[in-house]
Amino acid sequence: MKLWKITRWFFLGAMASFLIVGPALAIDNLRIAYPSMNTSVFALVIAQKEGYFKEEGLNVELLSIRGEIAIRTTLAGEVDFFTNAGSALAAAVRGVPVRLVTVFQDKPSWDLIAQPEIKSIAQLRGKNVAVMSPEGSLAVVAREMLRKNGLDPSKDVNLVTMGGDEVRFPALQTKSIQATLFNTAMSIKAQKEGFSKLGNASEYANLIEGGLATTHDKIKQSPEKILRFVRGALKGLNYYVTKREPAIKFMMDGLRMKDRELVSLIYDLQIPLVLRDGFSDDKVLQSMIDDMKKTTKVQRDIKVGDIFDLSLVKKAHAELKASGWKP
């Protein structure tokens, strides 16, 4: 009798352990590469911290990885998604098998900043204008701003390839360059030091600055997992745009900035550019593809569906809207 009781309790204990451990084993792991903090990353950080990914049965790991390496690691299967949407667009146009599954921002939040004595874009004729790479997002936008102000980017200015803000800002201070595009935070800092703001990039060009990309194969193999991930990300994005004060705290932590007034200003300037639904209009996306084709000198016909797969984000958005979900 005693042995029977022991056996019964052992069996019940084993079943209880199975029930407890079962859900933990069902959680899927995802690795996300990001090169720098932007709208996409803030949405993911919030979704992680607020437990939205856990609600979707996901354990998400965010990894700081440089842009070109992020694409390679995704193609190799070492990470599942990457956030540098501009690089994803350029790669996909060239035929690399990656697809963008969300668009969180389709206008750049950069400002064209110049030496104090330069007061208009037209005055950049014959000057050095710094970009990060010849075909990168900064270069695409810089060329568009120059063209729309009567300058030929290939003849009238000298486009200088440099690194990130940490390189281009000192170059501006030492007058090695006369102008460059900066993100909102660096733009504010430069203006406080007396440099001129010549224009907002968002008024001149459509460009993906926030989004999520993955491989074509992963979309085919794991659509349900991607749907859950995108739904969690949309929850984080919704929180980011509707809960100003806690969102600013997340930004301060992510940007490692203690100046709440400055971060609040950055937030207020960027929020109007955020696409709350997670996708953009096909006409806007096609114009981006056409611009990238010119930049990369690709001749083949490319449609929106060749670069973007927004079916899952549209489904996730519809589900959240129908449920009345709010952060």
Side-chain angles (χ1 to χ4, degrees), residues 20-273:
I20 292 170
V21 175
L25 293 175
I27 290 181
D28 291 312
N29 295 312
L30 287 176
R31 307 180 85 200
I32 319 300
Y34 69 94
S36 60
M37 299 300 293
N38 61 15
T39 300
S40 305
V41 186
F42 292 135
L44 299 181
V45 169
I46 290 171
Q48 187 182 55
K49 299 288 188 184
E50 292 297 307
Y52 300 147
F53 287 134
K54 291 291 185 186
E55 292 174 1
E56 300 291 344
L58 298 172
N59 177 47
V60 173
E61 184 181 6
L62 301 176
L63 304 169
S64 178
I65 301 175
R66 272 206 340 257
E68 65 276 11
I69 298 175
I71 295 178
R72 290 203 296 268
T73 54
T74 304
L75 290 169
E78 295 171 16
V79 300
D80 300 285
F81 292 86
F82 59 99
T83 67
N84 42 324
S87 297
L89 175 60
V93 165
R94 284 197 178 91
V96 177
V98 295
R99 294 289 184 275
L100 284 128
V101 295
T102 70
V103 180
F104 290 157
Q105 193 171 319
D106 62 4
K107 288 187 177 294
S109 56
W110 306 318
D111 294 327
L112 184 58
I113 301 297
Q115 295 294 338
E117 67 276 9
I118 298 174
K119 302 301 181 184
S120 71
I121 295 176
Q123 289 180 299
L124 292 176
R125 186 181 298 274
K127 309 297 187 193
N128 293 330
V129 179
V131 295
M132 287 184 67
S133 64
E135 296 179 356
S137 300
L138 253 66
V140 171
V141 173
R143 289 189 182 99
E144 189 66 14
M145 295 181 78
L146 292 167
R147 285 192 200 99
K148 289 183 177 178
N149 282 274
L151 298 176
D152 184 335
S154 63
K155 298 178 181 177
D156 296 331
V157 301
N158 181 28
L159 286 180
V160 182
T161 301
M162 287 189 170
D165 292 348
E166 71 282 357
V167 176
R168 287 178 286 114
F169 187 56
L172 195 67
Q173 290 174 312
T174 58
K175 299 190 176 182
S176 299
I177 59 172
Q178 281 67 57
T180 190
L181 284 161
F182 283 138
N183 62 32
T184 306
M186 188 59 73
S187 170
I188 293 170
K189 180 178 179 180
Q191 289 178 69
K192 285 184 176 180
E193 292 197 15
F195 292 100
S196 300
K197 176 181 171 180
L198 303 182
N200 299 312
S202 61
E203 296 175 0
Y204 288 87
N206 290 310
L207 186 95
I208 298 181
E209 193 175 334
L212 298 168
T214 188
T215 62
H216 189 230
D217 285 346
K218 193 168 289 291
I219 295 172
K220 289 195 298 183
Q221 294 165 3
S222 309
E224 189 271 338
K225 187 192 297 187
I226 293 175
L227 175 63
R228 287 186 283 131
F229 172 63
V230 168
R231 192 164 52 217
L234 280 183
K235 291 177 181 179
L237 186 72
N238 195 306
Y239 183 109
Y240 178 60
V241 298
T242 59
K243 291 184 171 292
R244 182 178 183 273
E245 292 306 313
I248 288 171
K249 178 62 169 62
F250 277 117
M251 287 181 68
M252 291 175 68
D253 293 342
L255 295 170
R256 297 179 182 178
M257 296 174 65
K258 296 181 179 180
D259 188 338
R260 188 177 186 86
E261 184 179 349
L262 175 58
V263 177
S264 298
L265 180 56
I266 295 169
Y267 177 90
D268 292 337
L269 289 170
Q270 289 189 336
I271 282 298
L273 302 176

